[in-house]
């Protein structure tokens, strides 16, 4: 009798387990990948609807749909999908500023037996014609430029660098392009100098570090003249960082190089009243084996002024770099920097800091 009861219990257990397994919802897609093919960026967003069926025996609930990037937005059936019924997942893809091939995944989390499902959308975005205003974003009268800053980057002393910006004449008349307020160390030319209507060209700049006494970051503002005349908003700028060129120094020169040291690199003047003037001197010492040259001392703003007592420091000697901070018109925490450019190959640019609090 006991053996018979045990067999009945086992049969019931297996039956219940089988019913439990069959009762779980399952999600089934006819297609898990959709190929949009070639789509034009200018036509805007595209969409596809994935259809699925609940092949289980319990309601199917989609908890979340997550895409691999923000360019694809999902919508899905929010209500429970009954057994043998269908639901949908709609994916919208935005091709703007995304030229080329794409392959995005969509992860579906649900109460289905499978746990997660992965869908994919693929395709190729072809970039359409862009408006002139998007290509040439800056306007100077009848011409447009892609940008108005010529960045020359790092320019070792004694060398020169070239950069250019593309331009176009958007007017109905020819224009002649020249420049004003151009310093001696910069050469500016337009090619061609006379632009016909609709014609494209370039403005080319050459930065010659040999012709300037500047060191460190150099920011220059110049003017574009149209047919020899000044017009509004005609500024074009250039930026460069002039540095000492140590590339030709051999081991002997490096071993006998100057070496800069400071008694301190920071000074906190504490708390002062607005209008007070703070004076402080940083002591600079040459612990190297040849003359240390202070190429330039640059402050972070006009509120500090610094002129070293001398610019050439023999080995073993020192000099002071006086700093003046005028707190007039300032309040709160102040952080100023003083950058010293030298011929020390290990430390060609050194930064000193002056800080404190100005109260009214």
């Amino acid at each position: 009798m006991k053996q018979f009861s045990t067999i009945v219990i086992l049969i019931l257990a297996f039956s219940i387990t089988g019913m439990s397994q069959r009762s779980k919802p399952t999600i089934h897609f006819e297609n898990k990948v959709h190929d949009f093919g070639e789509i034009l960026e200018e036509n805007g967003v595209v969409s596809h609807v994935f259809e699925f069926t609940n092949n289980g025996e319990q309601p199917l609930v989609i908890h979340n749909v997550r895409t691999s990037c923000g360019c694809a937005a999902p919508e899905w059936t929010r209500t429970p999908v009954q057994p043998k019924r269908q639901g949908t997942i709609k994916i919208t893809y935005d091709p703007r500023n995304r030229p080329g091939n794409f392959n995005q995944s969509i992860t579906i989390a649900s109460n289905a037996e499978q746990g997660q499902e992965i869908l994919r959308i693929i395709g190729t975005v072809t970039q359409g014609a862009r408006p002139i205003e998007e290509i040439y974003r800056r306007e100077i009268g009848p011409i447009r430029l892609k940008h108005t800053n010529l960045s020359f980057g790092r320019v070792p002393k004694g060398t020169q660098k070239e950069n250019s910006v593309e331009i176009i004449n958007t007017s109905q008349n020819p224009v002649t392009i020249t420049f004003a307020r151009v310093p001696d160390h910069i050469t500016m030319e337009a090619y061609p100098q006379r632009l016909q209507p609709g014609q494209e060209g370039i403005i080319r700049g050459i930065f010659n570090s040999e012709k300037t006494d500047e060191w460190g970051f150099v920011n220059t503002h110049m003017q574009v003249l149209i047919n020899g005349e000044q017009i509004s908003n005609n500024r074009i700028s250039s930026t460069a960082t002039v540095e000492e060129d140590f590339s030709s120094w051999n081991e002997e020169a490096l071993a006998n190089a100057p070496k800069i040291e400071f008694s301190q690199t920071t000074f906190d003047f504490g708390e002062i009243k607005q209008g007070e003037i703070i004076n402080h001197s940083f002591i600079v010492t040459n612990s190297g084996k040849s003359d240390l040259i202070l190429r330039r001392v640059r402050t972070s703003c006009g509120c500090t002024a610094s002129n070293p007592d001398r610019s050439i420091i023999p080995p073993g000697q020192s000099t002071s770099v006086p700093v003046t901070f005028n707190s007039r018109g300032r309040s709160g925490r102040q952080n100023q920097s003083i950058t010293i450019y030298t011929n020390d190959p290990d430390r060609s640019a050194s930064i000193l800091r002056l800080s404190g609090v100005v109260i009214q």
Side-chain angles (χ1 to χ4, degrees):
M1 186 66 180
K2 288 184 178 180
Q3 186 177 5
F4 177 76
S5 299
T6 302
I7 292 172
V8 171
I9 292 171
L10 288 174
I11 292 173
L12 288 172
F14 282 121
S15 298
I16 292 171
T17 301
M19 290 175 63
S20 174
Q21 290 177 345
R22 288 195 301 274
S23 69
K24 288 184 178 180
T26 60
I27 187 168
H28 174 73
F29 291 90
E30 288 293 335
N31 296 295
K32 293 186 178 182
V33 178
H34 177 72
D35 187 351
F36 282 105
E38 185 175 310
I39 58 179
L40 293 177
E41 179 184 6
E42 62 190 29
N43 289 345
V45 298
V46 292
S47 299
H48 176 71
V49 176
F50 290 93
E51 294 185 348
F52 62 87
T53 303
N54 177 10
N55 287 336
E57 298 180 6
Q58 292 291 327
L60 171 67
V61 178
I62 305 295
H63 298 307
N64 189 33
V65 178
R66 186 177 69 254
T67 60
S68 57
C69 82
C71 54
E75 300 176 26
W76 66 91
T77 302
R78 300 281 181 165
T79 57
V81 179
Q82 299 302 318
K84 310 308 177 185
R85 304 300 288 270
Q86 291 185 325
T88 60
I89 296 174
K90 180 180 179 181
I91 302 298
T92 300
Y93 183 78
D94 188 349
R96 287 179 301 176
N97 301 318
R98 295 183 176 93
N101 297 329
F102 64 89
N103 185 337
Q104 303 297 333
S105 63
I106 302 100
T107 304
I108 297 99
S110 71
N111 67 334
E113 188 175 3
Q114 303 97 310
Q116 285 190 343
E117 285 285 342
I118 304 294
L119 307 177
R120 289 195 175 275
I121 55 171
I122 60 177
T124 302
V125 177
T126 301
Q127 194 173 40
R130 297 166 61 195
I132 290 293
E133 292 77 13
E134 286 188 12
I135 302 172
Y136 298 88
R137 295 182 175 274
R138 299 287 182 258
E139 182 180 28
I140 298 180
I143 67 170
R144 298 190 71 93
L145 304 83
K146 286 192 173 180
H147 53 83
T148 54
N149 180 65
L150 295 173
S151 176
F152 297 104
R154 300 159 69 97
V155 186
K157 194 68 172 180
T159 67
Q160 63 181 33
K161 277 195 175 181
E162 177 182 322
N163 201 354
S164 62
V165 56
E166 296 176 55
I167 61 175
I168 186 171
N169 177 9
T170 56
S171 73
Q172 301 299 314
N173 302 301
V175 295
T176 300
I177 302 172
T178 54
F179 304 91
R181 297 187 179 180
V182 180
D184 292 339
H185 62 275
I186 296 179
T187 302
M188 296 289 289
E189 296 177 297
Y191 295 94
Q193 188 179 55
R194 187 171 178 82
L195 276 180
Q196 298 300 318
Q199 185 178 9
E200 296 175 315
I202 64 168
I203 291 176
R204 185 181 72 169
I206 301 174
F207 187 100
N208 189 340
S209 64
E210 190 66 34
K211 294 184 177 182
T212 179
D213 294 330
E214 298 280 358
W215 291 86
F217 185 74
V218 182
N219 189 6
T220 307
H221 300 299
M222 298 161 286
Q223 293 180 339
V224 178
L225 304 183
I226 303 298
N227 298 324
E229 298 181 356
Q230 295 270 7
I231 61 174
S232 61
N233 301 317
N234 68 334
R235 190 171 76 174
I236 188 169
S237 61
S238 75
T239 55
T241 301
V242 180
E243 298 179 337
E244 190 93 23
D245 184 8
F246 300 104
S247 61
S248 62
W249 287 35
N250 57 28
E251 291 186 6
E252 182 180 0
L254 292 171
N256 291 284
K259 185 176 180 62
I260 191 170
E261 292 185 355
F262 298 94
S263 58
Q264 61 182 150
T265 56
T266 62
F267 174 70
D268 190 336
F269 56 77
E271 190 175 277
I272 63 174
K273 291 183 178 180
Q274 189 179 72
E276 288 187 41
I277 295 176
I278 295 295
N279 293 295
H280 180 74
S281 290
F282 290 94
I283 305 301
V284 181
T285 300
N286 178 11
S287 61
K289 297 180 180 179
S290 59
D291 287 349
L292 175 68
I293 303 174
L294 306 187
R295 300 290 192 189
R296 186 182 182 188
V297 178
R298 166 175 278 172
T299 57
S300 58
C301 70
C303 59
T304 55
S306 180
N307 293 301
D309 290 344
R310 53 179 172 169
S311 59
I312 300 178
I313 309 172
Q317 296 189 26
S318 302
T319 192
S320 63
V321 179
V323 177
T324 300
F325 172 74
N326 189 340
S327 65
R328 184 177 60 183
R330 298 184 176 274
S331 63
R333 186 72 186 176
Q334 303 294 310
N335 291 286
Q336 307 299 332
S337 64
I338 303 95
T339 305
I340 301 179
Y341 299 94
T342 71
N343 64 334
D344 180 348
D346 294 325
R347 200 174 177 182
S348 61
S350 302
I351 298 178
L352 309 176
R353 300 194 181 278
L354 183 145
S355 61
V357 177
V358 178
I359 59 175
Q360 293 182 335

